[in-house]
Every structure is written in C-alpha cells, then in structure tokens.
Amino acid sequence: MAASPVISVVCPFFNEAAAIPHFFERIVGVLQQEDASFEIVCVNDGSTDGTLSALQQAQQLYDGLVVVDLSRNFGKEAALTAGLDFARGDAVIPIDADLQDPPELIPEMIAKWREGYEVVLARRVDRSADTLAKRLTASIFYKVHNRISDIALPENVGDFRLMDRLVVEAIKRLPERRRFMKGLFAWVGFKTVCIDYARAERIAGQSKFNGWRLWNFAIEGITAFSIAPLKFWTYVGGLIAFGSVLYALFILVRTLVYGVVLPGYASLLVAILFLGGVQLVGIGLLGEYVGRVYFEAKQRPIYVVRKVHE
Ligand code: UDP
Ligand code: MG
C-alpha cells in the first residue's frame, strides 16, 4: 500500500451520477495543483442510479480514488461517518458531490492548516443560491439551537471544512449512532478559523433534503445537543400548578363571599382541554428523547459496507 496521503477529501454520493464527471474534473484539477499527495474517499450511500459505475469509471480516469460502497442508503450523516473512518490523510475535507461547496476553496484551507489551525471552516456568506424559505428556516434553527444548547454551532457553516487528523480521531471516539455531524464537529472543539465563500447552485440533479427531512434534521440537532426542551416542561408544569393554586384561592374566597354558584362548565372544559393538550405535547417530547435512548441502546453499527473499491 502506498504511503498514506496528506489530504483526504471525503464525499458522500446519493444518486449523483449526473454530477460525478463535473465533480471529479474540478476537484482533481484543484488537488493536483497542491504540493501534497491526496486521496478522494467516495462513499456511495446506496444510490439507485448509475452512481457506483460512474465512480468506478472515474477511478479509471484519476488516481487516488477510494470507493466505499454502502449496502443501502444510510443518510448523509452516516455516509460521512463512513468516509471519515476510511480516510487516511493528515487533513480531511468533507465536501458535497453537487459542487455547491467550491473545491477552489481547498488551497486556502490547506494554507490555513499549514499555518497551524486544526479546523478550517468554510462559511457561506452568500446563500442566494438557496431558496428564501431554506435560508429563513436555517437562520431560525441556528438561533434556537444556539440559545438552548451547550455547544454553539457556527452559523452558515455546513460540513464543508478542513480537519486535522487530531480532530478526526476525536470525532471517531464519539460513539453515538444517531449522528448530527455538524454538532459533533463543533463539540470536539480545536483551534478553528473561518474562511468565507458564496454558495453555488447545484451543478446537476436535485437536493435530497426536502422540508420534512430538514425539519427532522433540525429536531435531531436540537435533541442531540440539548435537554432544554425536557426541562421546559418542568417550568410549564410549575407555572400551571401555581396558576391553579391562585385560581383555587379565588374560588374559595368567592364561594365564602357569594355562596355556591353553579355555572362554570366552560372554564372547566377549557382547563381540561388545555391541560390535556399541554400534557400530550410534553409526553411527545419526552418520547423524542426516549426514542433516541432506545436507538442508542441497540448499538447497531452506523453503516454497513458492501465493498471497498481501491
Ligand atoms: N447525500 C447522501 N445521502 C443522502 C442524502 C444526501 O450521501 O441520503 C449526499 C448528496 O449526494 C450530496 C450531499 O449529501 O453529496 C448533500 O446533499 P444535497 O446536495 O442533496 O443537500 P443540500 O445541499 O440540498 O443541503
Ligand atoms: Mg447540495
């Protein structure tokens, strides 16, 4: 086996056959300019189009491609985890296959890394390529997440970044199965610097993340790094209990002064419905966390590899 490469680029592919030729042409062009050996770890995340054969074709054209073929679609976070596990470089760079993360940024990242930074983040200063709804919801997500979590996620930073080997080894020691990579990246810390770029349009194909998937992704991120939503219900419960004590006192005094008054079914109904609703929401939220404990307790592997094509 060849000496381990200096730079590992890690890229998850899920039905990206149309983007693959463009992707390799651009990224290999950039990497060849660098004075460092490189590998590109391509994770085929259970694609159902011609992605695998396109990757194998690319392997004929370019040196340094490793194709990790997963047994089915495990999702981007799992695919990225697989890529990090197989990457051997001194620095590792996760990147999307659709060229929304410009490979031209890589030389700048490597320069910062050589200056001594352990993490080089690529921050999207211009997201006009994303839809307004996506930008808005992303911004709300970051605000909420960072308010209630111990770990602040840098805003407008995706998975595109450079990480030193030290950082990758630290991430590999985090055992959780449900992986919110952005959060895990932030959790490990290390000496970090940011560089800015404008997010490009997808070169080909379509985004795999629709509204519902993004919503679940956001819930994943928040529940993985904060228990504030759980604590919240303690306070809601406390407030409602306190309010009912006040109301009880009020009724007591009123009864003493005016005697028994019968009407009141409306307020009863409101109280029952309101409390029922609040309790169900609380239980549902508890369920989110219990579900997560359940998944972690099973200790299933994060991904399954069918074959590694070197
Ligand atoms: N991806 C993946 N598995 C999935 C979904 C997506 O490996 O289940 C990959 C996809 O091929 C791409 C990257 O993750 O390389 C980002 O996906 P996409 O461009 O659809 O996300 P967006 O940029 O719209 O957030
Ligand atoms: Mg994309």
Side-chain angles (χ1 to χ4, degrees):
M1 190 181 271
S4 61
V6 177
I7 306 291
S8 293
V9 173
V10 169
C11 184
F13 292 82
F14 178 50
N15 294 346
E16 300 284 7
I20 284 174
H22 307 280
F23 174 74
F24 285 107
E25 199 187 306
R26 253 176 73 190
I27 195 152
V28 173
V30 168
L31 290 170
Q32 276 172 346
Q33 304 288 312
E34 280 299 309
D35 181 24
S37 57
F38 67 88
E39 67 173 356
I40 306 178
V41 180
C42 313
V43 183
N44 176 29
D45 187 16
S47 302
T48 51
D49 64 352
T51 293
L52 182 62
S53 58
L55 287 175
Q56 285 173 311
Q57 261 168 34
Q59 267 183 320
Q60 308 290 319
L61 288 175
Y62 308 104
D63 287 335
L65 266 60
V66 179
V67 178
V68 180
D69 188 25
L70 301 188
S71 62
R72 64 168 169 87
N73 178 248
F74 282 89
K76 183 183 176 189
E77 311 297 295
L80 210 52
T81 305
L84 294 186
D85 289 346
F86 280 90
R88 296 172 299 147
D90 300 326
V92 178
I93 307 176
I95 190 169
D96 284 358
D98 56 9
L99 290 172
Q100 285 199 290
D101 306 329
E104 290 70 27
L105 225 58
I106 292 176
E108 206 182 324
M109 288 176 158
I110 295 176
K112 289 278 182 215
W113 173 56
R114 292 206 161 121
E115 273 174 36
Y117 289 101
E118 291 150 329
V119 178
V120 186
L121 301 178
R123 184 169 47 198
R124 308 156 183 177
V125 281
D126 173 6
R127 295 188 61 159
S128 47
D130 288 327
T131 61
L132 182 68
K134 183 154 184 176
R135 273 178 288 163
L136 202 71
T137 46
S139 144
I140 295 172
F141 167 73
Y142 285 115
K143 297 252 149 51
V144 171
H145 184 281
N146 291 347
R147 249 218 120 95
I148 66 177
S149 301
D150 309 332
I151 295 298
L153 291 181
E155 207 162 325
N156 288 325
V157 171
D159 296 325
F160 186 35
R161 61 187 62 211
L162 179 147
M163 291 175 285
D164 188 82
R165 172 62 33 202
L166 286 174
V167 183
V168 176
E169 290 305 321
I171 290 168
K172 281 161 76 171
R173 284 181 50 212
L174 302 181
E176 51 245 82
R177 317 280 132 166
R178 308 272 303 245
R179 299 178 81 76
F180 182 69
M181 292 309 278
K182 263 191 238 194
L184 301 184
F185 289 154
W187 188 89
V188 294
F190 288 100
K191 212 159 82 183
T192 303
V193 68
C194 254
I195 54 182
D196 294 336
Y197 76 103
R199 187 136 173 97
E201 304 266 4
R202 227 176 195 284
I203 192 94
Q206 272 181 357
S207 173
K208 275 80 195 172
F209 291 88
N210 57 23
W212 181 242
R213 211 164 162 177
L214 279 175
W215 164 255
N216 281 318
F217 192 53
I219 300 276
E220 189 75 45
I222 287 172
T223 50
F225 285 90
S226 168
I227 55 164
L230 282 179
K231 291 192 201 155
F232 175 73
W233 294 99
T234 317
Y235 297 103
V236 172
L239 268 178
I240 291 180
F242 182 66
S244 7
V245 168
L246 290 185
Y247 191 55
L249 286 176
F250 166 72
I251 293 175
L252 185 73
V253 173
R254 198 178 56 173
T255 315
L256 289 178
V257 177
Y258 296 105
V260 178
V261 277
L262 196 54
Y265 91 93
S267 51
L268 260 183
L269 199 66
V270 169
I272 289 173
L273 290 181
F274 175 69
L275 281 180
V278 165
Q279 281 169 358
L280 284 181
V281 176
I283 293 173
L285 227 137
L286 204 62
E288 284 283 338
Y289 285 88
V290 175
R292 248 148 262 268
V293 173
Y294 172 66
F295 275 123
E296 295 297 334
K298 288 205 255 208
Q299 301 263 313
R300 284 184 186 154
I302 299 165
Y303 56 85
V304 177
V305 176
R306 176 181 295 118
K307 192 165 180 220
V308 181
H309 307 258
E310 301 248 17

